[in-house]
Amino acid sequence: MLDTVIIGGSILGQLFGPSNLIISALICYLIMRLFFSSLINNFAILIFLVPNLGSTFIYIGTTSIPILNLLICVALLKLCLTYFHDTVNKKVLLVASVFVLYEWIHIFFYDVKTLALLISWSAAVLYVFLLSIYCRSAYHHETVLKYFLAGVGISIVYGLLHFYNLYGTLLANNPTIRFKGAAGDSNYFAMYIMISMFSILYLINKKSSKWVQSIYPLLFLFYGAFGVLSLSRMFLLVVSFLMLVMVVKVFIGLRDNKKMFWFIIILLLLIASFFLYFSEEINSVFSLFLSRFTDFLEDPSGLTSNRNVIAERYFDFIVSDFFSMLVGIGIQEYYIRSGVFLETHNILLEILVVWGLVGFLIFGLFIATIFKIMAAERKISETSILGWLPIICMAVSYMSINAMSNESFFLLVFFAINHIYEFE
C-alpha cells in the first residue's frame, strides 16, 4: 500500500507539479527501496512501473530514458551482491551468457549512445535470468500480481486525468484519439490491460472474503472498459476470443470450481448491465471501432497502419545481404541503421532482422531455458489453459508492437511464465 501511494502519487503528481523534481525524488525513493527490500519485492516494484513507462522517464540531453532501465541495473546489482558466493549451474548460466554476448558481437555497428542502451538491455536479460535461478523457491506470484494490477490502475487514473485535461471527455468521437493511460502508447496500454484482466483469474481460487471475491468481476470489467477505449483492434479481437475460451473452459472443464463458476456468472451479468446502462456510449465507441476496420477495407496499408509496408521493406533488407540474414545487425536502434527508420512492429520479424537465423535459435533456447527453470516439478501438460491466457495476450500483442529492444519485455516474460506454473 505504501509503495502504491508513493509511486502512484509521484506518477500522478507530475500532472500538477514540477515533473523533473518529482521524478528525481521518486528515483531516490525507489533506489533505497530496492536496496532494502527482498528480491521478489524488487521485481514487484519494477513490474509496477511497466504500465507507466510513458510517464516515468528522465532526460539526458535531448534523450528520454525510462527510469525502469536505471532501476533494473540497481536490482541486478542487489541480486548479484546477495548471491555473490553462491554457485550456479554453469550450463544454465551459459545460455544467458551466449544470448547476451551474441548481442554484444554487434557492438562494432553501435555508437556511444547505443552502447548505453546496450548496457541496460543486457542488465534486463541477466536480471531476469538470474532471478529465475536464485529466487524460484522464494517467488510469491500473488504479491507480484497485485503490484502489477496496482500499476495498471495508476496508469488508468493518469490517463483519465490527462485525457480530460486535453479533451474534456472520455469519448472524443475520433478514431485517431485513443486512450493510452500512462503507457505512452495505446497498443502497449491495451496489452497491459489484457494481461491484467486474465491475471485476475489467478486470485479467484485464493482464500479471501466474499467481499474481496466480489471485487474481481468489477475489476475485470473496469480494466476491460479502458482497454476498449484504447480503440485497439488487437484488443477487441484477442479479448473476445479469450473470453469465449474462458467461459467454455469454466462451464465444461471447471464445473466443480464454484468460485470460478460464480465469477463468470457475475461477470456476464455485469457486462449485460453495463451494455444496457451505457448503451449510447457503447454504440459510440463501437462505431469508432468499426470505422477502424471498415474505413480501410480496400487499403491494406491503412488497415494495418502501414505494418505490411514496413514488413516488406524489412524483408527486402534481410534478403539483400546473406550475412545480415545469418547474424543480424544488432538490436539497438536497428530501425535507423537498417535505413527503414521505422521499427518492425512484429516480434518474429524483429528477431530475424536484429539477430538473424542464428540469433533466432539462441533466443528460442533462452526462452525454453526459463520455461524449464520455472517449471520446477510441474510439467507443461499439467498446467491450466487459463494460466496461459496472459502469455497468449503477450504473444499476439507483440505481433504488432515492438518487443526485443524494450527491457520491459523480459520482465513481462518472467511474470507470464511464472503465471503459467503458479496457476492452480
Side-chain angles (χ1 to χ4, degrees):
M1 182 61 70
L2 183 62
D3 282 333
T4 301
V5 171
I6 295 178
I7 303 173
S10 299
I11 293 171
L12 300 178
Q14 297 177 82
L15 296 170
F16 309 101
S19 59
N20 289 337
L21 179 61
I22 292 173
I23 287 295
S24 298
L26 178 60
I27 291 173
C28 294
Y29 168 78
L30 289 175
I31 290 176
M32 293 290 290
R33 188 79 172 86
L34 292 178
F35 271 115
F36 296 100
S37 182
S38 70
L39 295 173
I40 296 305
N41 275 350
N42 284 359
F43 177 72
I45 290 169
L46 297 180
I47 209 75
F48 183 104
L49 293 173
V50 171
N52 299 282
L53 282 172
S55 61
T56 51
F57 53 84
I58 55 174
Y59 282 98
I60 298 180
T62 57
T63 304
S64 62
I65 299 177
I67 66 172
L68 181 67
N69 295 16
L70 169 65
L71 297 173
I72 287 174
C73 295
V74 176
L76 175 62
L77 176 61
K78 167 71 179 293
L79 178 60
C80 291
L81 291 175
T82 303
Y83 291 101
F84 181 75
H85 296 291
D86 289 42
T87 57
V88 63
N89 188 317
K90 293 181 180 179
K91 291 183 179 179
V92 173
L93 187 60
L94 181 64
V95 174
S97 301
V98 169
F99 183 39
V100 172
L101 289 174
Y102 184 78
E103 164 60 11
W104 275 79
I105 67 172
H106 300 89
I107 193 173
F108 303 105
F109 302 112
Y110 296 165
D111 56 23
V112 175
K113 176 186 174 182
T114 46
L115 280 177
L117 296 174
L118 179 58
I119 292 172
S120 65
W121 180 90
S122 303
V125 173
L126 292 174
Y127 172 68
V128 165
F129 200 80
L130 292 176
L131 195 66
S132 66
I133 294 173
Y134 288 119
C135 300
R136 180 67 190 92
S137 59
Y139 182 80
H140 193 257
H141 189 65
E142 187 173 352
T143 298
V144 175
L145 174 54
K146 288 179 178 179
Y147 268 80
F148 182 71
L149 293 176
V152 173
I154 293 297
S155 182
I156 290 173
V157 175
Y158 180 96
L160 271 172
L161 296 172
H162 186 62
F163 209 85
Y164 267 108
N165 184 46
L166 289 177
Y167 308 111
T169 177
L170 261 182
L171 302 176
N173 294 318
N174 187 325
T176 63
I177 299 176
R178 303 164 58 192
F179 194 87
K180 58 185 178 182
D185 180 88
S186 299
N187 290 320
Y188 283 99
F189 174 75
M191 180 181 68
Y192 302 142
I193 288 288
M194 287 192 289
I195 295 172
S196 64
M197 287 172 65
F198 294 109
S199 294
I200 289 173
L201 301 182
Y202 172 87
L203 299 172
I204 303 300
N205 292 326
K206 297 301 175 182
K207 292 182 179 179
S208 56
S209 65
K210 292 183 179 180
W211 182 84
V212 173
Q213 287 286 331
S214 66
I215 292 177
Y216 298 144
L218 290 170
L219 195 60
F220 189 98
L221 182 61
F222 176 76
Y223 282 3
F226 284 96
V228 170
L229 290 178
S230 71
L231 299 182
S232 169
R233 291 169 291 204
M234 167 192 65
F235 175 87
L236 183 64
L237 296 173
V238 174
V239 167
S240 299
F241 175 73
L242 292 186
M243 282 194 66
L244 178 62
V245 171
M246 179 180 71
V247 171
V248 171
K249 177 64 176 176
V250 169
F251 279 97
I252 294 178
L254 296 173
R255 286 176 294 182
D256 296 330
N257 189 327
K258 292 183 179 180
K259 288 183 178 180
M260 193 69 73
F261 178 82
W262 283 110
F263 170 82
I264 295 296
I265 294 296
I266 294 172
L267 178 63
L268 293 177
L269 290 174
L270 285 173
I271 292 174
S273 302
F274 191 79
F275 269 75
L276 288 173
Y277 192 78
F278 295 102
S279 58
E280 185 177 340
E281 291 82 357
I282 290 172
N283 285 334
S284 176
V285 171
F286 276 92
S287 294
L288 291 176
F289 256 123
L290 189 62
S291 69
R292 299 199 74 225
F293 285 99
T294 57
D295 288 355
F296 304 104
L297 286 179
E298 298 180 358
D299 179 16
S301 298
L303 189 61
T304 63
S305 300
N306 289 316
R307 285 174 172 79
N308 62 319
V309 177
I310 296 172
E312 290 172 4
R313 294 188 62 183
Y314 273 111
F315 274 121
D316 291 340
F317 174 78
I318 292 172
V319 300
S320 66
D321 181 45
F322 177 77
F323 183 76
S324 295
M325 184 190 301
L326 193 63
V327 299
I329 62 174
I331 192 71
Q332 308 303 328
E333 294 192 340
Y334 69 89
Y335 53 94
I336 296 176
R337 291 179 289 107
S338 66
V340 177
F341 297 103
L342 290 169
E343 294 175 307
T344 60
H345 292 82
N346 183 297
I347 186 173
L348 298 178
L349 184 58
E350 185 177 25
I351 294 172
L352 287 174
V353 170
V354 301
W355 294 321
L357 296 173
V358 175
F360 196 96
L361 296 175
I362 293 175
F363 172 74
L365 179 62
F366 175 80
I367 296 297
T369 303
I370 293 182
F371 262 99
K372 184 176 180 180
I373 296 171
M374 291 293 99
E377 302 300 324
R378 194 174 182 187
K379 298 179 181 179
I380 287 182
S381 59
E382 299 172 346
T383 59
S384 169
I385 183 62
L386 299 182
W388 283 82
L389 298 186
I391 203 167
I392 291 173
C393 293
M394 285 179 56
V396 176
S397 297
Y398 281 123
M399 295 302 292
S400 62
I401 57 178
N402 304 303
M404 305 311 303
S405 57
N406 300 328
E407 287 79 357
S408 60
F409 168 80
F410 297 99
L411 300 180
L412 289 173
V413 165
F414 182 79
F415 170 81
I417 292 177
N418 271 293
H419 188 84
I420 293 171
Y421 291 111
E422 295 282 342
F423 197 93
E424 299 175 0

